[in-house]
Amino acid sequence: MKQIMILWIILWAVCFTACKEDNLPTEGTQQAEDLELVISFDNEFEMGSRSALTSSEPTHHIEYMYAYVFANENRSDLTVEDATCIYEEKLPWEASAEAQSVFRCKLKEEIYQKLTANNPEKKYLVMVVAVDNNKDTYTFPSTNNSSEDIHLGMVEKKLNEVKMALATGVDASQMAYTEVFAGFRQFTTKQSQVQVTLTRRVAGVLCYLTDLPAKVNDYYIIGVQLHWSTGLNTEGILKPGNLAEGEESFADSEPSDNSSTTLLAEVDLKEMGAEESLDGSTLYIPPVSVEGTLETLTNSVLMGAYMLPIQADGHFVIKLVGEKREPDGTPTSDPVYVFTEMESEGYFAVKQLAENGTSVDDNYGITADYIYNIGYKPYSADTDYDDPLSLKGTEFKVVASEWESRDDIHVDFPNTQLGIVLSTEKKAGYRHDCVAGTDDIQVQALTSDYENKSWTLSITYPDDDKGEWCSFLASSSETLTGTGSGTVEISFKEYVDPASEKIENPDEDYREATITLQVDGTAISSSIKVRQWNALIVNSVAEDGKDAGKRAFRRLDNGAVFKPDGTVDYSNVTTYQWAKKDRLPSFIYGTDSQNTGDDGKKNYDNMLDVEWWGENEEHWNGCVVNLAKEGDWYLPARIELHALMYAMKNVSSAYLSDDINWWTSTARAASVSERYFSNKSVSVTKLKDLKDLKRGYYEDRENCNRARLCKQIN
């Protein structure tokens, strides 16, 4: 088994906080739109992204979430034995790296046809199950469901039949990559909210080693493996241990029938560039250093895996892998050798430190939601407090601890496997502006062995996104193939959508696509998010007070750009005089009547129609109305700009400042202070009706002010 099962790294930090007392279930008559799930993780939990274990940080990667409702059709009460599934739903969960509250979700209306509203005492049970992006590893229950989603098909199944089982055709090694959460809660139709706390249904083992010998018994060491001394469980019980109110416990997994030693993870030391140290006794291993992603100490290896709980006694085993070499250093034709239990070196049985902290257990079980540390690495992105286990030692112990949240973990990692990674300097808070544009992403081979590996990039969108707004320039499509390291350029279309479902909250009004790298012939994958702001959509009026339709505004002033962390860089922002050579607006517009206060596009067109430019065309070329035009985006008129300020004055992502002036195409500098285009002082709080704003006149023509562009929406 040569598949490298090491170091899948984490991405997307999603913060789940506890439900407060004011969110407790309320009493009342159940309505078809009332029943809401309130889902959290151990009440307060730092949520992030993980698709395979790399550290003991309390972060996770959940991309799919399901709800199942159970009832007893014949009685009002409920037991584990007689509860039958009456409804199932794939929840509209969207994985995100943005901090948010607990996940709230109203079930579809189909559920209310299953509930007995005229019996408020009848008890129901909801079970929520969540998995990471390896959703096809397990089924729950084992229904041999032939549908596209193997996690549906539980209706009419008994609660005590529910198990999390390895899916048909899936190798048991895939369990090392898959994380699963579950939780349940009883409720009645008197409640409008049902709170469900999810707990991890798998355990994790983290193995961090140093001082690996260069040679053992005439074998040159080229690899290291982590095993479990007996077989792995391939199924686990998901049903609750009891239905006592408020208890969230689950039954333990059943003992495994397997007896063979099972490989959990391995590291190919050749691929890591390992070589004999100067003294020849140990291996020199280059440190892994991917900024913001993974840092390891020199001469160390890190690997990890997820495991279903195991009641049967067993223990972890570290095995070295060796090869024989010719005198010139080339490998012989002999197969690689994995050291066995009979050898005193090259095979290390890992005992468990007992709860009293002094004695050790030769054999032990594995418990869900525990992390088993062989060596210690608390943080993936740096080596602070790292303490790998030395193979020069005489005692090899694993320390089991609850996989609890930590307040000092605030790290956002990419989701990859050591070897090759898809990366970008853009952080989770970065969104591209709404105008069409391009961006570069990097495919990075972390070791020379992956420079010739072929890969495929693909772009996917959330279910509610029509897609086709992001593509690869090299292929003009949403897929791209390549080899080894390189720069990949993506392009994205303009995003001006007045029908956005998030328009009520412009700070959340963006779209996103996922770009995934899959290495051909391997399980290695890596993904990043591309996010783009929607334009700021506002309603405008004409000077006669009639509706003038919607306007789309950019979120950045001309010349401003977003930094990789999503904040704005104003260092190269463009400022303008209104016109060159101290020319009055009438010189450019021709006549006063051509200068409208509510239609910047019309102002632009009127200027182009002026017939008497003669030798003074440079005045038009130097006018801010012309300089600040980009395609369909133009300098707004006076009332258009005011509509933006009036509607977005409290929106942080509009990036409007109280002490900045912007030009309008009606030849007056506008400020988000008390000036607002009228001849009298009008404060923001006193603005009631846009039609009360009077037309302003050109002033301060020598000043250099910013430009914020807009466009009409048909």
Side-chain angles (χ1 to χ4, degrees):
M1 178 180 179
K2 292 300 295 177
Q3 179 186 23
I4 300 178
M5 300 172 57
I6 61 170
L7 306 186
W8 286 60
I9 329 248
I10 49 184
L11 175 36
W12 327 120
V14 180
C15 179
F16 279 75
T17 56
C19 301
K20 306 301 181 183
E21 290 186 1
D22 56 359
N23 287 331
L24 293 176
T26 57
E27 302 290 333
T29 303
Q30 182 66 55
Q31 302 295 325
E33 68 276 5
D34 284 343
L35 188 59
E36 180 181 48
L37 295 181
V38 181
I39 301 170
S40 60
F41 295 78
D42 292 342
N43 293 325
E44 287 195 24
F45 220 95
E46 289 286 335
M47 280 294 297
S49 174
R50 184 202 302 283
S51 61
L53 181 67
T54 55
S55 81
S56 57
E57 298 168 27
T59 47
H60 320 278
H61 183 71
I62 289 178
E63 290 197 357
Y64 305 91
M65 198 175 290
Y66 305 84
Y68 309 91
V69 177
F70 295 84
N72 184 336
E73 295 183 358
N74 300 319
R75 299 202 314 270
S76 294
D77 60 345
L78 197 62
T79 67
V80 174
E81 288 70 29
D82 61 26
T84 303
C85 184
I86 62 172
Y87 176 80
E88 64 183 3
E89 179 183 334
K90 184 178 182 179
L91 300 180
W93 164 266
E94 293 184 5
S96 171
E98 297 305 300
Q100 57 180 279
S101 62
V102 293
F103 175 52
R104 298 173 180 269
C105 172
K106 290 186 178 180
L107 295 178
K108 294 179 180 178
E109 292 188 4
E110 288 87 340
I111 179 61
Y112 304 106
Q113 301 172 6
K114 308 290 185 180
L115 302 180
T116 308
N118 59 2
N119 183 1
E121 302 303 323
K122 185 176 180 63
K123 292 184 178 180
Y124 301 87
L125 180 136
V126 62
M127 175 178 285
V128 177
V129 185
V131 296
D132 62 17
N133 59 346
N134 297 284
K135 71 181 180 71
D136 297 332
T137 304
Y138 294 106
T139 61
F140 39 84
S142 302
T143 59
N144 296 319
N145 183 22
S146 60
S147 69
E148 181 178 348
D149 200 317
I150 63 175
H151 300 312
L152 299 178
M154 194 180 289
V155 174
E156 298 183 356
K157 302 293 181 181
K158 292 288 188 179
L159 177 59
N160 60 7
E161 298 174 350
V162 177
K163 290 184 179 180
M164 178 175 66
L166 192 67
T168 302
V170 175
D171 187 271
S173 65
Q174 285 298 107
M175 291 191 298
Y177 301 108
T178 306
E179 194 167 29
V180 183
F181 293 79
F184 70 92
R185 178 56 66 94
Q186 284 195 88
F187 68 95
T188 70
T189 56
K190 294 188 295 182
Q191 298 171 228
S192 62
Q193 290 183 347
V194 180
Q195 298 184 32
V196 183
T197 300
L198 303 188
T199 57
R200 187 187 284 99
R201 300 313 304 149
V202 294
V205 54
L206 182 73
C207 186
Y208 192 27
L209 305 175
T210 190
D211 295 330
L212 276 70
K215 191 176 180 181
V216 177
N217 298 342
D218 296 327
Y219 285 96
Y220 293 86
I221 302 305
I222 60 171
V224 59
Q225 297 179 347
L226 177 66
H227 289 249
W228 179 251
S229 64
T230 60
L232 292 179
N233 280 344
T234 57
E235 65 178 31
I237 298 174
L238 274 180
K239 68 183 181 182
N242 58 71
L243 297 182
E245 186 66 27
E247 292 193 21
E248 302 290 340
S249 61
F250 282 79
D252 293 328
S253 295
E254 297 174 340
S256 170
D257 294 332
N258 300 323
S259 57
S260 58
T261 299
T262 305
L263 176 66
L264 299 176
E266 65 178 330
V267 176
D268 188 325
L269 297 174
K270 281 188 174 181
E271 290 185 349
M272 293 192 68
E275 58 186 24
E276 286 188 28
S277 60
L278 293 178
D279 63 9
S281 63
T282 59
L283 286 173
Y284 166 75
I285 304 173
V288 175
S289 179
V290 183
E291 185 175 356
T293 299
L294 178 68
E295 300 286 340
T296 61
L297 294 171
T298 303
N299 303 331
S300 68
V301 294
L302 176 66
M303 51 187 167
Y306 293 119
M307 302 172 65
L308 283 178
I310 299 174
Q311 287 186 343
D313 286 343
H315 56 266
F316 293 109
V317 174
I318 301 167
K319 297 183 182 182
L320 298 182
V321 180
E323 68 178 12
K324 288 192 174 181
R325 296 174 181 171
E326 302 289 356
D328 63 359
T330 59
T332 67
S333 58
D334 297 339
V336 297
Y337 181 76
V338 179
F339 285 81
T340 69
E341 189 174 3
M342 302 304 296
E343 279 130 340
S344 59
E345 296 184 44
Y347 183 100
F348 310 91
V350 182
K351 300 180 179 182
Q352 177 171 305
L353 186 66
E355 292 185 2
N356 59 20
T358 57
S359 62
V360 294
D361 297 327
D362 292 338
N363 292 300
Y364 39 88
I366 297 298
T367 303
D369 212 11
Y370 268 67
I371 177 76
Y372 292 81
N373 292 284
I374 304 172
Y376 185 60
K377 181 167 182 58
Y379 305 100
S380 289
D382 59 53
T383 57
D384 292 349
Y385 310 108
D386 279 15
D387 186 17
L389 175 69
S390 172
L391 291 188
K392 287 184 176 180
T394 57
E395 291 186 334
F396 304 97
K397 293 180 290 189
V398 59
V399 179
S401 59
E402 293 184 16
W403 212 334
E404 297 175 342
S405 64
R406 297 179 182 171
D407 294 335
D408 57 348
I409 302 291
H410 299 286
V411 188
D412 186 17
F413 300 116
N415 163 25
T416 184
Q417 196 174 14
L418 184 63
I420 194 166
V421 60
L422 188 63
S423 66
T424 176
E425 65 174 356
K426 307 296 191 301
K427 305 302 181 184
Y430 184 89
R431 287 108 173 82
H432 294 281
D433 201 11
C434 59
V435 295
T438 62
D439 192 16
D440 292 340
I441 57 177
Q442 304 295 323
V443 178
Q444 293 179 300
L446 303 182
T447 66
S448 59
D449 300 270
Y450 284 87
E451 284 292 353
N452 296 319
K453 293 286 187 181
S454 298
W455 43 257
T456 299
L457 291 177
S458 59
I459 300 174
T460 56
Y461 305 95
D463 293 339
D464 58 351
D465 191 329
K466 297 178 181 178
E468 298 183 352
W469 57 267
C470 188
S471 63
F472 300 106
L473 280 182
S475 64
S476 300
S477 69
E478 295 175 349
T479 59
L480 180 69
T481 58
T483 302
S485 298
T487 299
V488 176
E489 195 169 13
I490 60 172
S491 65
F492 41 90
K493 298 178 180 178
E494 180 179 271
Y495 189 22
V496 178
D497 181 14
S500 171
E501 294 180 355
K502 300 177 181 177
I503 197 64
E504 294 299 326
N505 184 3
D507 289 334
E508 295 295 329
D509 192 10
Y510 61 90
R511 61 185 177 186
E512 71 177 16
T514 301
I515 301 179
T516 302
L517 176 145
Q518 181 68 50
V519 180
D520 296 351
T522 76
I524 297 177
S525 67
S526 176
S527 64
I528 62 172
K529 301 286 187 182
V530 177
R531 300 181 177 90
Q532 184 184 22
W533 284 118
N534 190 12
L536 297 167
I537 310 296
V538 299
N539 293 309
S540 188
V541 298
E543 288 191 302
D544 60 6
K546 294 182 179 179
D547 183 13
K550 293 183 181 295
R551 300 290 190 270
F553 279 84
R554 294 170 61 172
R555 299 186 184 235
L556 293 176
D557 299 334
N558 273 21
V561 296
F562 286 115
K563 299 177 184 178
D565 63 359
T567 59
V568 180
D569 181 0
Y570 294 101
S571 61
N572 295 315
V573 71
T574 305
T575 58
Y576 308 83
Q577 288 182 325
W578 204 90
K580 283 187 177 181
K581 295 187 178 180
D582 197 23
R583 292 297 177 179
L584 295 174
S586 59
F587 180 87
I588 296 176
Y589 282 111
T591 64
D592 209 31
S593 62
Q594 290 179 295
N595 184 198
T596 171
D598 53 52
D599 193 338
K601 180 65 166 56
K602 186 175 181 180
N603 287 343
Y604 183 86
D605 293 339
N606 286 340
M607 290 181 178
L608 287 180
D609 290 340
V610 173
E611 298 177 354
W612 42 276
W613 286 113
E615 297 179 356
N616 299 308
E617 187 174 349
E618 70 273 14
H619 300 313
W620 163 241
N621 293 336
C623 175
V624 65
V625 183
N626 185 37
L627 290 173
K629 188 176 188 302
E630 300 179 16
D632 294 333
W633 296 84
Y634 58 83
L635 195 69
R638 172 171 46 89
I639 294 180
E640 288 175 318
L641 183 57
H642 175 266
L644 169 72
M645 297 176 180
Y646 185 81
M648 301 294 172
K649 62 180 181 293
N650 294 321
V651 176
S652 61
S653 63
Y655 304 107
L656 298 173
S657 175
D658 287 343
D659 57 357
I660 298 299
N661 291 337
W662 291 268
W663 285 116
T664 77
S665 66
T666 30
R668 180 185 172 96
S671 169
V672 191
S673 60
E674 295 185 345
R675 295 176 55 189
Y676 277 108
F677 324 114
S678 66
N679 291 328
K680 61 181 180 179
S681 177
V682 182
S683 69
V684 173
T685 57
K686 293 180 181 178
L687 293 173
K688 301 295 184 183
D689 194 334
L690 297 182
K691 71 182 181 181
D692 291 337
L693 292 172
K694 306 302 180 182
R695 177 174 173 177
Y697 294 94
Y698 174 69
E699 66 175 23
D700 298 334
R701 59 180 178 265
E702 298 298 331
N703 289 346
C704 288
N705 299 317
R706 293 185 187 177
R708 176 70 69 97
L709 302 188
C710 78
K711 67 182 296 183
Q712 293 181 356
I713 301 177
N714 296 328

